[in-house]
Structure formats: structure tokens, C-alpha cells
């Protein structure tokens, strides 16, 4: 997170004639402090998520306002692929189709482009109540999964944007570990991973002192299983 220090500068004490300059200096300093504070509050902290694969020769990442890449061996320059994002929050690769996908939580969009940054497409334009925070792909099935802490859901859609997203898990789908009571359903999912061969989706769910690792089925028919609780 970006940090800064604030300092107040005033004129040294003097006679009454110095009162107005001192007051003006203090007022100006206070105004500057508030402007800096407001700017800091509205500007998102830098956020990085990276993705790569066995086929591509590069690693790709989304950094708040842009998608970039570099060779895996760190040779060559950083390539700016897609500028102009608002708050890019997650990224995923389709090596077979030659596409890079990303989620922008400020514009509520899930988008993609070719691996060189060309042919940008907005696949899903969502809403403020369904901001996409994390995405993952089942390339073989052509499915895209995304999670939103606003709607408290995990949804499945098509990688080409051809179908409306479908809820597979939500806040009412309580998870349970063997011999334990059930826990609340989806709250704030910040990471997902797929075991496509087994048809299993794993996710991390952030809470108040009880962050969890949970798994379910990729079609949403399995009762979620709690694997780990922190706290």
C-alpha cells in the first residue's frame, strides 16, 4: 500500500505583524494534508497477480492499471500489453487459444486479448453488486469461473462470453468438515484453483479471523468441504 508522511511548516514566532502569514501558512498546510489524504484514499494500492504455463515463453501479470509480460528467463524488456485498466485484480491464461484474461473490479468487467495484447474484448460487463475479484479457466470445457465478494458467489460462464454467468456456489452453500458443524457459505473468495480431471474446484474464503480453504465440484452439485480454517 502506498504510504506518505505529512509535515506541517509554520513561520517562526514573531510580532503581531507575522500573525497573518503564519495563519495563512498553517491553513495552506492543512489544505495540502487533506488533499493528499483524499488522493491516497481514492487511489487504489498497487495490486499484482501473475500467470504462466508450460507452453508460453513469458510470464504475464496484471498490475492495477495494465497487463504486462516478460520472458520467463527475465531477458528482454517488459512488454506493456494492455494499458488503461482501472483496478485489474486477477489474470488467467489460455495457452491453447492464445488468450490472456483479466478481471477489473472497478469497471466490473472480465476481458481478454491475444497474448501480444491485440484484439481486446470485453466478455462480461457486470455490476457493482457482482464485481469480479478472481478468475480461473477450464480451457478444455471452454468455461470461465469467477468469484465476487459483493454477490458472495462463485459463478461459471463461457470463455468466449457467449452465455450468461450461472451461480454454482453462494452464501447459502455451507461447508463442513468431517465430524464438524457447518460453516457459513461463500463470503469473500480471493483465490480459486481447478482440478479438472477430478472435477473439483478449490477456493480460499476470507473472513473475520476464520479464513478458510474449501473445495466443491465444478458443476456445483457437491456439498462444499472445509479443508482448512485459519484462526
Amino acid at each position: 500500500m502506498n504510504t506518505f508522511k505529512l509535515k506541517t511548516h509554520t513561520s517562526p514566532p514573531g510580532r503581531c505583524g507575522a500573525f497573518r502569514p503564519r495563519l495563512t501558512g498553517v491553513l495552506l498546510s492543512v489544505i495540502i494534508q487533506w488533499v493528499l489524504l483524499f488522493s491516497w484514499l481514492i487511489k487504489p494500492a498497487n495490486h499484482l497477480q501473475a500467470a504462466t504455463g508450460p507452453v508460453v515463453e513469458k510470464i504475464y501479470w496484471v498490475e492495477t492499471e495494465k497487463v504486462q509480460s516478460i520472458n520467463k528467463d527475465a531477458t528482454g524488456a517488459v512488454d506493456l500489453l494492455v494499458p488503461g485498466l482501472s483496478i485489474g485484480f486477477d489474470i488467467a491464461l489460455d495457452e491453447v487459444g492464445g488468450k490472456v484474461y483479466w478481471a477489473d473490479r472497478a469497471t466490473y468487467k472480465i476481458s481478454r486479448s491475444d497474448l501480444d495484447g491485440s484484439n481486446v474484448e470485453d466478455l462480461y460487463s457486470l455490476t457493482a453488486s457482482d464485481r469480479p475479484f478472481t478468475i480461473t479457466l477450464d480451457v478444455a470445457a471452454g468455461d470461465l469461473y469467477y468469484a465476487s465478494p459483493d454477490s458472495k458467489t462463485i459463478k461459471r460462464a463461457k470463455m468466449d462470453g457467449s452465455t450468461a454467468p450461472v451461480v454454482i456456489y453462494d452464501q447459502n452453500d455451507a461447508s463442513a468438515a468431517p465430524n464438524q458443524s457447518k460453516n457459513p457459505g461463500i463470503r469473500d473468495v480471493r483465490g480459486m484453483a481447478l482440478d479438472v480431471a477430478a472435477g473439483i474446484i478449490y477456493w480460499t474464503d476470507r473472513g473475520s479471523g476464520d479464513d478458510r480453504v474449501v473445495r466443491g465440484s465444478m458443476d456445483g452439485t457437491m456439498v462444499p468441504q472445509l479443508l482448512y480454517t485459519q484462526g
Side-chain angles (χ1 to χ4, degrees):
M1 182 173 290
N2 299 326
T3 59
F4 61 88
K5 295 182 179 179
L6 297 177
K7 294 182 179 179
T8 301
H9 298 281
T10 58
S11 302
R15 292 178 296 181
C16 294
F19 177 76
R20 185 176 298 275
R22 286 184 60 204
L23 180 60
T24 303
V26 172
L27 180 59
L28 179 60
S29 179
V30 170
I31 292 173
I32 291 174
Q33 289 184 43
W34 277 105
V35 169
L36 288 172
L37 178 59
F38 181 72
S39 299
W40 177 75
L41 289 173
I42 65 174
K43 181 181 180 180
N46 285 339
H47 182 82
L48 286 169
Q49 290 286 357
T52 190
V55 178
V56 295
E57 298 298 327
K58 292 179 176 288
I59 182 168
Y60 295 77
W61 69 93
V62 60
E63 183 182 355
T64 305
E65 299 172 349
K66 54 197 171 187
V67 177
Q68 300 185 102
S69 69
I70 194 172
N71 293 335
K72 287 180 179 178
D73 61 4
T75 60
V78 172
D79 294 321
L80 174 60
L81 303 179
V82 184
L85 279 62
S86 293
I87 308 180
F89 218 69
D90 203 7
I91 192 169
L93 291 185
D94 171 11
E95 294 184 278
V96 176
K99 297 286 186 180
V100 56
Y101 291 72
W102 64 90
D104 191 322
R105 76 175 193 183
T107 60
Y108 324 139
K109 291 181 179 180
I110 298 174
S111 307
R112 73 178 181 181
S113 74
D114 293 346
L115 293 178
D116 63 1
S118 62
N119 299 317
V120 175
E121 304 173 85
D122 292 330
L123 301 175
Y124 293 99
S125 296
L126 305 169
T127 64
S129 61
D130 193 32
R131 294 179 299 166
F133 270 49
T134 183
I135 59 175
T136 191
L137 305 176
D138 176 2
V139 173
D143 288 337
L144 179 153
Y145 294 78
Y146 77 91
S148 170
D150 304 297
S151 60
K152 293 181 171 56
T153 59
I154 296 175
K155 295 183 179 181
R156 184 180 65 226
K158 281 299 179 183
M159 288 169 52
D160 61 3
S162 61
T163 63
V166 176
V167 175
I168 62 167
Y169 288 108
D170 62 23
Q171 59 187 330
N172 297 313
D173 290 307
S175 60
N179 303 318
Q180 292 186 15
S181 59
K182 288 187 175 181
N183 294 271
I186 300 294
R187 298 170 302 177
D188 187 355
V189 173
R190 291 302 179 96
M192 297 185 296
L194 300 179
D195 180 351
V196 174
I200 298 295
I201 181 171
Y202 297 82
W203 64 89
T204 57
D205 195 344
R206 192 169 69 173
S208 300
D210 62 340
D211 297 346
R212 303 193 299 257
V213 180
V214 186
R215 75 172 186 170
S217 58
M218 290 167 59
D219 62 3
T221 58
M222 171 183 169
V223 175
Q225 182 180 8
L226 178 66
L227 302 178
Y228 172 78
T229 300
Q230 181 185 50

